[in-house]
Amino acid sequence: MQGTFNSITSKIISNGLYFFWIDYFRDNINKHTNLSPVKTEFLAGNISGILTAVVSNPISAVKYRNWDKQWPASKVISRMYSDNGIKPFFKGTMSRIYRDSTFSCVYVMSHYYGKKQLGDTRWLFLSDNLAVMGATIISSPFNYTMNRMYAVKPYEQCPSTMTFLRKLYYGAIKQERPLVYVINRMHVGVGTVRISLGITI
């Protein structure tokens, strides 16, 4: 159960902010611009995804470091700060922004068109689940690089997103079944279903 409280806290903050901000920015874009509904949804989803990524990344960085230790979160935070100041809390932020904005593009636009075509029906629930699965799979390379960045020790220099993606590519082409290798590295599977149900519900 290590890291459970941290995980609950990060979910409350990230999901709570994400859905609130989508409504908030949608309303304000409608109020102050003449953009089409499609552009409004696109902008609201992306701004929300980027802001949520920036706010919640330090919490996730602490959660990752806490998984292999039997320490309270306050001690992990103190150790991270003493190792390299504020930098360790923002490792992975760009990968998280790429991940969340990619996810938002797919999910928010799919939900918009799904609701337009299907209305508030059980079919929309199914459509949203498929949209979240698709969004999760498409954004999974950035989720992979984000977690690799979290794994870098606080006092070490963190490689870029592209560095990790290149390593993944070169690792894949050496395999007998490159696609299976990449899918396994992305952890596409049960976790994808968990995310789709969580977001949709």
Side-chain angles (χ1 to χ4, degrees):
M1 301 297 286
Q2 186 71 15
T4 301
F5 180 74
N6 195 309
S7 186
I8 290 170
T9 305
S10 67
K11 290 296 180 193
I12 289 170
I13 292 171
S14 60
N15 289 353
L17 287 176
Y18 180 66
F19 289 107
F20 167 77
W21 274 336
I22 286 176
D23 289 340
Y24 175 81
F25 287 114
R26 183 192 295 120
D27 291 345
N28 276 276
I29 291 167
N30 281 329
K31 200 179 291 181
H32 300 294
T33 71
N34 294 315
L35 291 176
S36 68
V38 174
K39 290 177 181 175
T40 298
E41 289 297 317
F42 180 82
L43 273 177
N46 272 280
I47 294 169
S48 302
I50 290 166
L51 285 176
T52 303
V54 172
V55 170
S56 59
N57 191 77
I59 300 167
S60 293
V62 172
K63 179 176 72 176
Y64 191 100
R65 294 247 63 86
N66 201 23
W67 274 336
D68 63 344
K69 294 176 173 61
Q70 300 297 318
W71 295 351
S74 58
K75 186 174 180 180
V76 175
I77 292 167
S78 176
R79 176 60 65 86
M80 287 171 68
Y81 186 79
S82 66
D83 280 340
N84 200 11
I86 203 162
K87 287 182 182 178
F89 300 96
F90 291 96
K91 279 181 180 178
T93 300
M94 284 312 300
S95 279
R96 195 179 185 97
I97 287 172
Y98 298 146
R99 184 198 72 170
D100 288 3
S101 58
T102 302
F103 179 93
S104 283
C105 279
V106 179
Y107 166 66
V108 171
M109 299 313 296
S110 296
H111 176 73
Y112 171 76
Y113 283 112
K115 192 167 185 178
K116 202 172 179 182
Q117 296 295 321
L118 303 169
D120 285 317
T121 64
R122 67 188 67 181
W123 295 110
L124 179 62
F125 181 77
L126 176 62
S127 169
D128 277 354
N129 268 286
L130 294 173
V132 174
M133 285 184 195
T136 303
I137 292 167
I138 291 167
S139 62
S140 62
F142 299 121
N143 190 64
Y144 167 79
T145 60
M146 179 188 74
N147 284 307
R148 290 299 303 270
M149 288 178 179
Y150 289 157
V152 175
K153 300 295 182 186
Y155 48 81
E156 292 176 352
Q157 182 68 30
C158 186
S160 67
T161 300
M162 283 308 299
T163 300
F164 284 120
L165 288 176
R166 280 193 207 100
K167 284 182 180 176
L168 177 67
Y169 170 75
Y170 290 123
I173 59 175
K174 293 175 185 174
Q175 306 299 314
E176 200 173 302
R177 296 188 295 171
L179 184 60
V180 173
Y181 173 82
V182 171
I183 288 171
N184 288 334
R185 298 295 283 165
M186 299 297 104
H187 294 289
V188 174
V190 176
T192 310
V193 177
R194 177 190 65 78
I195 292 166
S196 71
L197 287 172
I199 292 286
T200 306
I201 290 169

